[in-house]
Amino acid sequence: MSEKIAVVLAADRHPRPEQGATQGLFLAGLEHRPEFDVTVVPHLYDLAPDGPVVRMLRSIRGDMIVLAWLYPRSAFWVLDANGIRGRLGRTFSLPEEDATVRTRRKAGDVEIPDRTIWCFDLRACDGPEPYLQQIDEIVAEKFVPAEQVAERANGKARRLEEPTRSRWYPVIDLERCTDCKECLNFCLFGVYSLDAAGGTMVEQPDACRPGCPACARICPSGAIMFPQHNDPAIAGDPRASLQGLKLDLSQIFAGVDPAALAAQERQRALADNGASAGDLAPRQVDPPDEKPSLDQLVDNVDGLDL
Ligand code: SF4
Ligand code: SF4
C-alpha cells in the first residue's frame, strides 16, 4: 500500500475574501484526489517554532507539497529553519537560478532527509488548474498511479489552527550562504550566532527589530530573506535577491546609498529599542578566511556617526 502524499495549504497572514475563495477551489480539487493527505495551516512564517502546527509538520516523513502565499524560497527556508527539511523541488513557481552563485550547505550541518519539498507560490494564482496539473505530474512521475490508493476513502482536508501573531525575523537560504558572517558582525541585536559547526545561524529570531531588513541589504550572497517585506529582492525573489545590495527602483533613481540606507534602518531599530549605538555592539567573530569586498562597505557603515 502506498502512503498518501502530504499537501500543506498555508493561509496568508491576513487573507482577503478572494484568497479564501481560491483556497476553497484548491481544497475542492485536492479532496477529490485520494492520493493526497491535505492539511490547512496558518501562515507559515508566523508559526511558533514549538507550536502544534510545526510539530505536526515535523512528523511528516515523506515528500511534501506546499502551497503558500510566499516565494517558494521563503516557504522552503522557513520550513527548514523549523526543522522541516528536504530538497527543494522544481516547480513553475521557482524559475531556474544561476547555478554559479549557489554554494553547498555547510559541512557539519544537520542531516537532510532524502525527500523532496515542492513549494508553490499562490500569490500569482488565477485559478488552481495549472497548480493541480503540475501536482498531478509530480505524482505521476514519482509515485504509484492514483488507482492504487483509490481504495482509501476520499478524505476531507484537516485544519490545524493555532493562535499566531505577526512575526518578523530573518530567514537564511543555506544553499546560498557562504558563511562570511557579515550579518553576524552587522546586527546589534544578537539575532545571529554560530552553530556547533561554526556556521552562521539565526539563534534569536524574535530579537530582530520589526521592520528592519538591514542585514538582508548587506548580505553579499542574497541569502537573507524577510518573507513579508514588500521588496521582492528582500522577500525571496530568486533573481532580484542576487542584485547585490538591495534597493528598489525608486531608491536607485533617488540616488540612495545602500550602505547609508542599511545604517539608517539599523539606527531606526536602535531608536525604537530605546538604545543608542554606544549601548550595543555587534557580535565579533573571526574574520572570514578570504575578506570579501563587502567588508569595506560594512566597515563604512559601522563608521557612520550613529
Ligand atoms: S551575510 Fe549572508 S552569506 Fe554572510 S553569513 Fe550572513 S547570511 Fe551567510
Ligand atoms: S540587522 Fe536588523 S534586520 Fe538584521 S537581524 Fe538585526 S535587527 Fe533584524
Side-chain angles (χ1 to χ4, degrees), residues 168 170 186-189 191-192 207-209 212-216 226 266 269:
W168 180 268
F186 181 78
C187 180
L188 298 174
F189 296 93
V191 173
Y192 294 98
C208 181
R209 309 313 301 167
C212 176
C215 52
F226 288 85
R266 187 171 65 170

Side-chain angles (χ1 to χ4, degrees), residues 172 176-184 200 219-221 223-224:
I172 301 179
R176 287 189 178 184
C177 175
T178 58
D179 243 346
C180 70
K181 302 182 177 59
E182 299 286 359
C183 54
L184 198 150
T200 309
C219 172
S221 304
I224 298 176

Side-chain angles (χ1 to χ4, degrees), residues 27-28 44 53 60 69 82 141 149 193 201 209 244 258 269 279 294:
L27 289 177
L44 291 180
V53 176
I60 297 173
W69 307 85
N82 283 294
E141 188 178 317
V149 291
S193 180
M201 64 176 286
R209 309 313 301 167
D279 297 331
L294 198 68

Side-chain angles (χ1 to χ4, degrees), residues 5-9 30 36-40 64-67 135:
I5 303 144
V7 178
V8 177
L9 179 51
L30 289 165
F36 297 123
D37 189 3
V38 184
T39 306
V40 181
M64 196 185 298
I65 293 168
V66 177
L67 300 150
I135 289 172

